Amino acid sequence: MGSSNLRPNSIGVNYGQVANNLPSVQQAVTLVRSTTIGKIKLYDANATILRAFANTNIQVTVGIANDHISSLTNPTSARSWINDNVSPYLPATQITTICVGNEVLTAADQSLLSQLLPAMENLHSALVSSNLQSQVKITTPQSLALLSNSFPPSAGAFNPTIAQSFIKPLLGFLSRTNSSLMVNAYPYFAYRRDPHNISLAYSLFLPNTGVNDPNTGILYSNLFSAQIDAVYSAMAKLNVTDVEVGVSETGWPSVGDPDEVGVSVQNAMTYNQNLIYYIVTNPGTPLRPRRPINTFIFALFNENLKPGPTSERNFGLYQPDGSAVYEVQELAKPSTSPPSNNGSSSGGSGSAGGYSPPNGSSAGGYAPPNNGSSSGRNNSSGGSGSGAGGYPPYNNGSSSGSNSSSGSSGMGAVGGGNQTRIWCVAKPGTDRSLLAGAITYACGVADCSAIQSGGSCFYPNELVSHASYAFNSYYQRHGRNYWNCDFQNNAIVTFTNPSYGGCIYPAN
């Protein structure tokens, strides 16, 4: 269950304000609109920010600080809060969610535990009074410290001292109101605590040998999905199976103190780039396959007044002056004017083995790679090189950390040295004007007989389907390197088998 008006496969970002050098709100809005960010999460209900996001088509989550929860146990105060902080901005500002508190159930102030649910119920009642309950959902972000056990994921369990008394009633409310449980899930912190037993590659969504759950036989390929499934397992132990898990915060710092393991610009870029691919391609988790994960990266900007170690002030995607801390290719909006090369393509014979694009599609506009290689292969910034189109797109054998982490060095072929099968498919939302030419290129040097008329993968006779098969055929034949799954940033690698019916996608 979850809010039906959310865009679960668009990426969200936390817009924090713990700094004295941030750009103006209007500059921040302009920056966000220049990217593919589709959702913003605030830690309050800042009126200036809410007005600035009006008519932008950016969805907004507003927050309520822990020290305001007590007053909202009064129904009148809750109605006033909705009337002051939500109703005036709708529908111009697309407020979709209210996050009540932050990590309340593990907070030092134990009085908040008994106040959280009444406050949420009062806020929901106020939404009902204004007929906004379908448009705006109530949730609460919680720490993974809520779990008394998280490994293996199937053994996930909530802290028994509060499971029945506080967590189960909270989950009941989320179920009744068609909302989700939000958690702050940081593979970085898990890795930092135990770098000798947790692989850096496993933490960064990079190819690795995986971690087996002995109770289910599931082989987890990344820590992010394992953390989420641990929460699903914990909820199942309370007989709750209809509440979705979202991620209110996740990220990786780019700068830290000398004793902060795994902190680097490269690792931050790798984590967030691969996270975005993971969210937008929607593999779900092993316990909830193909189920969207509503996710917010922490954070939009580096915030110079956050307390704690240096890393706490360096989780941002952007510097306060608006420049990128590192390039995240998937945040760049695609060009509205596809490049043209007079329709020529230089792959093999160019005949595509007799391939004819469906529906009379043109094969023009596709610029093939240079002999199958990528100018971006050694581009550590991940900015302009064309080889970063696959998931996971970044490794280059250079991820920094204190351990050798299985699968984190000398990658070569994506998935090389491990048993994970990987396919290459057309990227969601890809530029269809380039697909026919890309198929022509791929099929000029790979076997595409299955998508010819009468072939096992001819139907559906549709460009994206045919492109996925052609891209995968090329990728498998050319060594399964990440730069072999690019096609002008129109392809992406996946761990989910795209085969269907009698159409089998090969995988080495």
Side-chain angles (χ1 to χ4, degrees):
M1 303 178 74
S3 180
S4 59
N5 59 334
L6 289 174
R7 303 184 195 111
N9 296 115
S10 68
I11 197 66
V13 176
N14 285 275
Y15 181 8
Q17 300 283 299
V18 189
N20 60 9
N21 59 352
L22 296 180
S24 70
V25 170
Q26 193 53 57
Q27 288 173 321
V29 172
T30 300
L31 173 63
V32 170
R33 296 187 72 184
S34 73
T35 71
T36 57
I37 294 169
K39 297 174 291 195
I40 285 291
K41 177 172 163 283
L42 308 177
Y43 290 89
D44 54 17
N46 185 300
T48 302
I49 297 176
L50 291 176
R51 283 193 294 266
F53 275 102
N55 304 309
T56 61
N57 202 34
I58 303 294
Q59 295 187 335
V60 179
T61 292
V62 296
I64 296 174
N66 288 0
D67 57 4
H68 292 164
I69 292 175
S70 177
S71 66
L72 297 174
T73 58
N74 182 309
T76 301
S77 297
R79 284 193 297 272
S80 296
W81 195 93
I82 294 295
N83 292 337
D84 293 342
N85 297 289
V86 176
S87 299
Y89 305 101
L90 296 171
T93 302
Q94 295 184 33
I95 299 174
T96 62
T97 310
I98 300 170
C99 282
V100 183
N102 188 46
E103 302 187 345
V104 168
L105 296 180
T106 52
D109 185 354
Q110 294 291 294
S111 65
L112 290 175
L113 273 69
S114 59
Q115 297 170 353
L116 176 62
L117 184 55
M120 295 174 69
E121 289 174 330
N122 287 340
L123 288 166
H124 177 71
S125 295
L127 290 173
V128 171
S129 297
S130 300
N131 198 30
L132 296 174
Q133 72 275 14
S134 296
Q135 184 174 349
V136 182
K137 298 298 176 181
I138 307 291
T139 186
T140 178
Q142 298 300 326
S143 166
L144 286 181
L146 194 65
L147 300 174
S148 60
N149 189 32
S150 62
F151 182 81
S154 60
F158 291 119
N159 181 344
T161 62
I162 58 174
Q164 293 292 336
S165 54
F166 295 108
I167 299 176
K168 189 167 184 176
L170 170 64
L171 294 175
F173 166 83
L174 297 175
S175 174
R176 290 193 305 275
T177 59
N178 193 29
S179 189
S180 60
L181 176 67
M182 302 296 285
V183 295
N184 297 335
Y186 285 92
Y188 161 70
F189 288 118
Y191 171 73
R192 190 179 75 176
R193 285 192 299 269
D194 193 6
H196 299 293
N197 293 309
I198 297 177
S199 162
L200 181 62
Y202 181 63
S203 305
L204 295 175
F205 296 88
L206 291 172
N208 61 94
T209 55
V211 175
N212 182 62
D213 186 323
N215 299 326
T216 61
I218 292 173
L219 185 68
Y220 283 86
S221 63
N222 65 83
L223 181 53
F224 181 80
S225 63
Q227 289 180 329
I228 295 172
D229 273 357
V231 179
Y232 276 122
S233 294
M235 291 197 299
K237 290 178 175 61
L238 295 179
N239 297 316
V240 177
T241 59
D242 61 348
V243 174
E244 292 183 1
V245 176
V247 176
S248 39
E249 290 182 16
T250 189
W252 200 285
S254 58
V255 178
D257 296 320
D259 62 346
E260 292 190 275
V261 177
V263 178
S264 72
V265 170
Q266 176 71 33
N267 287 349
M269 178 183 68
T270 299
Y271 179 79
N272 282 320
Q273 177 71 74
N274 290 345
L275 170 75
I276 294 171
Y277 274 116
Y278 190 83
I279 297 305
V280 301
T281 57
N282 190 30
T285 71
L287 294 185
R288 295 293 189 278
R290 311 302 298 175
R291 190 75 62 84
I293 306 169
N294 186 30
T295 301
F296 293 86
I297 293 174
F298 186 83
L300 184 59
F301 297 109
N302 284 336
E303 299 173 58
N304 67 338
L305 297 183
K306 287 185 69 67
T310 299
S311 61
E312 286 293 318
R313 294 176 287 284
N314 289 279
F315 273 87
L317 296 170
Y318 296 95
Q319 302 285 7
D321 64 3
S323 62
V325 176
Y326 43 82
E327 296 298 328
V328 178
Q329 188 179 54
E330 192 64 17
L331 288 179
K333 282 189 174 179
S335 171
T336 56
S337 301
S340 172
N341 69 339
N342 300 320
S344 63
S345 178
S346 60
S349 65
S351 65
Y355 175 75
S356 299
N359 305 322
S361 304
S362 167
Y366 174 72
N370 299 322
N371 300 319
S373 65
S374 166
S375 62
R377 179 174 176 179
N378 295 312
N379 180 1
S380 63
S381 71
S384 60
S386 65
Y391 160 67
Y394 294 115
N395 184 7
N396 302 327
S398 61
S399 294
S400 59
S402 66
N403 70 335
S404 60
S405 299
S406 64
S408 66
S409 61
M411 180 171 73
V414 174
N418 63 58
Q419 299 176 350
T420 303
R421 295 200 301 165
I422 305 176
W423 296 264
C424 175
V425 297
K427 183 185 292 186
T430 191
D431 186 344
R432 297 174 68 90
S433 68
L434 299 180
L435 284 184
I439 295 171
T440 298
Y441 174 80
C443 294
V445 290
D447 180 10
C448 291
S449 58
I451 56 174
Q452 309 298 334
S453 180
S456 59
C457 299
F458 179 70
Y459 291 106
N461 184 21
E462 192 269 333
L463 266 179
V464 174
S465 179
H466 285 191
S468 290
Y469 187 90
F471 293 171
N472 183 68
S473 183
Y474 179 96
Y475 171 73
Q476 302 295 339
R477 178 171 176 171
H478 286 78
R480 302 170 73 240
N481 300 293
Y482 64 87
W483 54 89
N484 299 132
C485 185
D486 182 40
F487 295 95
Q488 216 165 32
N489 201 28
N490 286 303
I492 190 169
V493 299
T494 178
F495 296 123
T496 302
N497 190 344
S499 301
Y500 58 93
C503 176
I504 305 302
Y505 280 58
N508 295 330

